[in-house]
């Protein structure tokens, strides 16, 4: 059947006009300028495919722009690219937005993170039979909130309870910290009780309208779809509500963890953590086709979603069927052979022939060339 509604999806563009670098650990390579090229290709693809709306899952620019005093300039550059898609766009607040700009400035600079001048979480009709619920997982946080605010005080108390060394200025936030508490660090946050109550109401109102529901937020809710270090502080409270409405809620989309991941939880909810264009060599975005019958089809372009817990090097999911009891399997092709295939195509070999040759040679590019030239 033809999808009733199509969404373009992208996460963690983290653009900066600066030379390639790495993360704090030195392990993750970051291609700051290239992320804008990927965003351009995403928009071209979305326009060609005729999407009805776009969701930008947060971290649109990198924190390093703040040191460079280029936050607004970098944001303008990305928004200029995204505005080549004329459909409605839904933006989410990520930690890097808050490293760059004060909350009141987000809207002034062109981000669409909620109703004008109001709260930072919201819902929207996605066509006639779907509803999008967009959450703000930094409403209670140590970043982006004035230090005299109740939200900051609540965040400080949570940190005191779970990982007090952060407040004591520890260099290593994770030293001696039990695995299940790894989420309690300043680049994550929580949703307030008020936001939780609002979410319940938004879900009930979508259900009254017989709509299926998709949840979007920057930080993942379910550890098996990401890692312990990138989970919302009060994720279980949120999941409990979503499971109470398991017949209506189909999937949760997040970014934040550049390595991506995917898992289905015990309530049958699909959790998709999208990979970041910042660390990608090829494409890294998706289209979500939402069907009237209440299921959705996630179509990845490049490595937009890969196996959890593989540091981003696992097998990619070319597509995901998001329906109750659907089982999704990653492509048997590893990252190395995907990159090998791109290399061979750059040498002028046919794409499908290149894939076959790589499969026959267990991903060895030189052996594949010899085979192709046979």
């Amino acid at each position: 059947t033809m999808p009733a509604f199509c969404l373009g999806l992208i996460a963690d563009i983290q653009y900066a006009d600066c030379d390639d670098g790495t993360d704090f650990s030195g392990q993750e390579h970051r291609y700051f300028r290239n992320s804008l090229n990927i965003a351009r290709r995403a928009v071209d693809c979305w326009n060609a495919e005729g999407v009805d709306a776009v969701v930008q899952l947060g971290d649109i620019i990198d924190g390093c722009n703040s040191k460079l005093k280029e936050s607004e300039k970098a944001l303008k550059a990305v928004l200029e690219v995204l505005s080549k898609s004329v459909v409605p766009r839904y933006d989410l607040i990520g930690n890097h937005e808050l490293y760059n700009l004060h909350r009141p400035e987000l809207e002034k600079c062109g981000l669409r993170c909620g109703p004008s001048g109001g709260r930072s979480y919201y819902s929207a009709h996605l066509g006639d039979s779907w509803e999008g619920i967009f959450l703000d997982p930094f409403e209670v946080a140590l970043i982006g909130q004035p230090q005299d605010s109740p939200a900051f005080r609540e965040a400080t108390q949570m940190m005191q309870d779970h990982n007090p060394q952060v407040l004591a200025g520890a260099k290593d936030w994770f030293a001696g910290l039990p695995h299940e508490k790894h989420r309690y660090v300043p680049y994550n946050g929580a949703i307030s009780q008020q936001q939780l109550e609002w979410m319940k109401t938004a879900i009930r109102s979508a259900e009254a309208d017989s709509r299926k529901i998709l949840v979007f937020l920057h930080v993942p809710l379910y550890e098996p779809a990401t890692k312990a270090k990138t989970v919302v502080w009060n994720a279980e409270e949120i999941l409990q509500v979503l499971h109470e409405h398991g017949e209506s809620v189909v999937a949760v989309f997040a970014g934040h963890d550049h390595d991506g991941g995917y898992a289905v939880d015990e309530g049958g909810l699909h959790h998709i953590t999208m990979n970041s264009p910042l660390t990608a060599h090829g494409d890294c975005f998706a289209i979500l086709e939402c069907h009237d019958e209440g299921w959705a089809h996630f179509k990845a372009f490049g490595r937009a979603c890969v196996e959890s817990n593989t540091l981003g090097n696992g097998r990619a999911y070319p597509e995901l069927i998001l329906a109750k009891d659907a089982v999704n399997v990653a492509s048997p092709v590893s990252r190395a052979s995907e990159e090998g295939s791109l290399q061979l195509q750059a040498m002028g070999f046919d794409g499908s022939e290149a894939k076959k040759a790589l499969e026959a040679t267990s991903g060895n590019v030189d052996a594949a060339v010899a085979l192709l030239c046979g």
Side-chain angles (χ1 to χ4, degrees):
T1 58
M2 283 293 289
F5 196 86
C6 282
L7 276 174
L9 299 173
I10 196 164
D12 298 78
I13 299 169
Q14 278 187 233
Y15 167 69
D17 182 11
C18 64
D19 296 339
D20 296 344
T22 60
D23 65 347
F24 296 118
S25 70
Q27 286 171 340
E28 180 185 278
H29 289 275
R30 298 181 161 187
Y31 309 103
F32 293 106
R33 293 191 180 104
N34 187 51
S35 67
L36 199 59
N37 298 329
I38 296 176
R40 270 191 203 99
R41 294 199 297 273
V43 170
D44 289 345
C45 167
W46 297 332
N47 287 344
E49 298 276 336
V51 301
D52 300 295
V54 166
V55 178
Q56 183 274 115
L57 285 154
D59 280 7
I60 190 170
I61 56 174
D62 193 83
C64 70
N65 286 295
S66 178
K67 290 187 203 73
L68 301 167
K69 304 269 188 283
E70 295 209 330
S71 301
E72 292 186 19
K73 186 177 164 198
L75 183 55
K76 193 168 176 246
V78 188
L79 291 179
E80 208 162 283
V81 168
L82 294 181
S83 68
K84 300 277 191 291
S85 159
V86 296
V87 297
R89 188 186 75 244
Y90 303 106
D91 294 320
L92 292 167
I93 293 180
N95 45 314
H96 282 262
E97 278 75 5
L98 303 174
Y99 300 152
N100 278 287
L101 298 160
H102 295 294
R103 278 177 175 265
E105 295 170 338
L106 298 176
E107 189 187 338
K108 288 191 196 98
C109 291
L111 284 172
R112 304 166 186 171
C113 303
S116 187
R119 53 168 199 269
S120 48
Y121 43 91
Y122 57 101
S123 63
H125 293 342
L126 307 174
D128 293 331
S129 46
W130 289 79
E131 187 81 0
I133 291 185
F134 302 87
L135 301 176
D136 174 8
F138 295 100
E139 197 195 4
V140 174
L142 294 174
I143 51 175
Q145 297 292 5
Q147 299 205 347
D148 57 359
S149 65
F152 183 85
R153 284 202 294 273
E154 189 182 337
T156 305
Q157 188 56 55
M158 286 175 88
M159 203 52 80
Q160 190 60 48
D161 294 344
H162 296 286
N163 192 5
Q165 62 190 355
V166 165
L167 302 174
K171 284 274 181 283
D172 179 0
W173 293 336
F174 301 101
L177 190 64
H179 180 86
E180 68 278 5
K181 297 213 168 193
H182 279 191
R183 69 178 69 174
Y184 293 102
V185 289
Y187 57 68
N188 300 322
I191 78 168
S192 66
Q193 290 308 305
Q194 193 181 355
Q195 186 174 170
L196 196 67
E197 290 307 317
W198 169 87
M199 182 181 84
K200 291 177 187 170
T201 308
I203 290 173
R204 284 196 291 267
S205 119
E207 284 179 330
D209 229 359
S210 305
R211 293 172 177 274
K212 291 289 186 190
I213 296 162
L214 301 170
V215 177
F216 302 92
L217 75 171
H218 182 65
V219 183
L221 290 177
Y222 185 55
E223 192 189 315
T226 175
K227 46 179 85 81
K229 293 178 177 181
T230 41
V231 176
V232 174
W233 294 343
N234 60 340
E236 287 70 22
E237 274 189 291
I238 303 169
L239 285 173
Q240 191 185 338
V241 174
L242 300 183
H243 290 153
E244 283 163 12
H245 299 273
E247 286 310 303
S248 329
V249 183
V250 175
V252 177
F253 291 87
H256 198 42
D257 175 1
H258 296 174
D259 295 333
Y262 165 72
V264 181
D265 68 26
E266 62 284 0
L269 260 184
H270 297 265
H271 294 264
I272 299 94
T273 305
M274 286 187 67
N275 290 60
S276 168
L278 179 66
T279 56
H281 294 284
D283 286 339
C284 192
F285 51 87
I287 288 179
L288 185 71
E289 297 180 342
C290 304
H291 292 265
D292 276 336
E293 299 81 11
W295 63 281
H297 185 185
F298 176 91
K299 291 162 69 173
F301 292 80
R303 297 174 59 77
C305 181
V306 308
E307 293 171 304
S308 313
N309 277 311
T310 60
L311 295 178
N313 295 315
R315 298 172 306 169
Y317 294 93
E319 61 175 356
L320 295 166
I321 300 297
L322 307 177
K324 285 283 174 269
D325 304 324
V327 176
N328 291 293
V329 182
S331 141
V333 183
S334 70
R335 177 171 191 163
S337 53
E338 277 181 37
E339 285 168 7
S341 169
L342 290 172
Q343 240 175 306
L344 292 171
Q345 287 174 55
M347 295 176 194
F349 295 111
D350 169 75
S352 59
E353 295 298 320
K355 277 201 175 86
K356 280 183 205 145
L358 283 164
E359 277 161 28
T361 59
S362 306
N364 183 320
V365 175
D366 295 335
V369 170
L371 190 65
L372 289 162
C373 296

